[in-house]
Amino acid sequence: MKEKIEREFKKLCKSYKRKGVIGFSPLKEAELHPIQKKYLLRNLSTFDWSKPITAISIGVFYTREEINSVPDKWVTKGTNENSWNIYSQACGELNRILNNIASNLAEKFAGISEQATVEGYTRKVKQVEEYYGICVSHRVFAEAAGLGWRGKSGLIITPENGSALRLSTIFIPYEIESTGKEFQGCGDCQACLDICPFLKNEKNYRQNCLLRLKNVGLQNEVCGICIRICREALKK
Ligand code: SF4
Ligand code: SF4
């Protein structure tokens, strides 16, 4: 089953001319926020919870060109015409690709897929906590499945492409062994903390980041500076 899913994922990535990563972890091992657990119980209500459930974590990478369109220093404002929008548009494209791949895999393997992101919700949400009850944290499953480690930026850092990827999760009612791995982690790097004024304030960084995404002025509500910086830091 694992190999079949991996093969199918590779094929789908290829059809979108994208590279990606995939991993597996038992749902029962995931450390979920209680509100998210409730959401998941509701969403996976057709599954028999007394039997094993596996979370399939998938990630699709941004290209180098897309990441290099993001400024490599702190910039407060973007514009609608700015080349930074190459990244902004790629973010929307990756979400669509992930949603298609996830629903395709779910259909083929009797699973249930989660959307890559809750489309259009950044505009409506005022507090990050509002997200908790309407989606699952793809990062939790990506970390458990060994796609990468949790970086100082709070993002999943893959050995292949740093944090330059977007994630989605599919749940299947079968047992597949965990692909979780140990990574060395960020070490003494703190490039993302040095560039983003919000990341230093660990407690409120998510809320401050959300407000910045709303105000940065790009075509989609994104920023990505910590993602570009991380990719460069890993290459050194
Ligand atoms: S995406 Fe958020 S955390 Fe990353 S640099 Fe921009 S504001 Fe900071
Ligand atoms: S920039 Fe450095 S410290 Fe920040 S997440 Fe990437 S590797 Fe970790």
Side-chain angles (χ1 to χ4, degrees):
M1 168 76 84
K2 178 173 171 284
E3 286 72 28
K4 260 192 190 168
I5 298 172
E6 285 171 335
R7 260 201 313 277
E8 191 60 32
F9 173 69
K10 261 194 188 162
K11 205 168 87 189
L12 288 163
C13 283
K14 206 169 162 197
S15 73
Y16 291 108
K17 299 185 176 60
R18 290 274 175 178
K19 289 192 173 143
V21 272
I22 184 165
F24 304 81
S25 67
L27 176 59
K28 62 177 186 304
E29 284 175 20
E31 282 175 32
L32 288 172
H33 188 285
I35 302 172
Q36 294 221 317
K37 200 168 177 186
K38 218 166 141 187
Y39 163 84
L40 211 49
L41 274 165
R42 224 177 28 243
N43 243 25
L44 306 182
S45 60
T46 52
F47 284 0
D48 179 352
W49 282 72
S50 65
K51 300 216 171 104
I53 298 172
T54 298
I56 310 172
S57 175
I58 58 170
V60 176
F61 295 138
Y62 286 99
T63 64
R64 194 182 322 136
E65 192 213 358
E66 287 160 355
I67 291 301
N68 287 351
S69 73
V70 177
D72 60 359
K73 54 185 185 307
W74 189 251
V75 175
T76 328
K77 271 276 183 204
T79 64
N80 235 1
E81 293 77 39
N82 203 300
S83 62
W84 197 350
N85 283 301
I86 294 174
Y87 169 75
S88 167
Q89 287 159 4
C91 178
E93 187 191 331
L94 286 191
N95 287 340
R96 282 189 294 279
I97 291 174
L98 276 163
N99 289 343
N100 287 342
I101 294 180
S103 51
N104 208 299
L105 292 178
E107 202 177 310
K108 275 209 165 72
F109 299 96
I112 295 174
S113 62
E114 277 288 320
Q115 296 275 296
T117 190
V118 191
E119 211 65 63
Y121 221 76
T122 323
R123 283 188 189 89
K124 293 183 207 152
V125 160
K126 289 196 176 67
Q127 299 289 326
V128 276
E129 289 79 9
E130 291 171 48
Y131 277 115
Y132 298 165
I134 54 160
C135 57
V136 290
S137 166
H138 296 304
R139 295 180 203 175
V140 167
F141 296 108
E143 199 176 1
L147 262 55
W149 68 91
R150 187 71 74 133
K152 290 177 190 168
S153 59
L155 300 172
I156 296 301
I157 318 296
T158 63
E160 300 92 343
N161 210 32
S163 51
L165 79 166
R166 293 198 65 82
L167 299 163
S168 190
T169 317
I170 305 108
F171 300 93
I172 50 166
Y174 304 106
E175 186 164 24
I176 295 182
E177 215 176 286
S178 172
T179 48
K181 299 182 195 92
E182 290 290 322
F183 292 99
Q184 280 190 339
C186 296
D188 56 9
C189 175
Q190 52 164 35
C192 55
L193 306 186
D194 289 342
I195 203 155
C196 173
F198 308 132
L199 283 171
K200 286 193 190 85
N201 180 359
E202 252 180 65
K203 226 174 146 197
N204 286 329
Y205 97 88
R206 277 177 164 253
Q207 183 60 27
N208 288 331
C209 178
L210 175 71
L211 292 176
R212 170 167 160 82
L213 301 191
K214 283 173 178 289
N215 295 319
V216 79
L218 297 172
Q219 289 169 13
N220 286 320
E221 293 169 326
V222 294
C223 160
I225 291 179
C226 56
I227 294 177
R228 168 153 191 192
I229 292 305
C230 181
R231 202 164 174 275
E232 279 167 19
L234 289 172
K235 277 194 276 167
K236 284 181 188 156

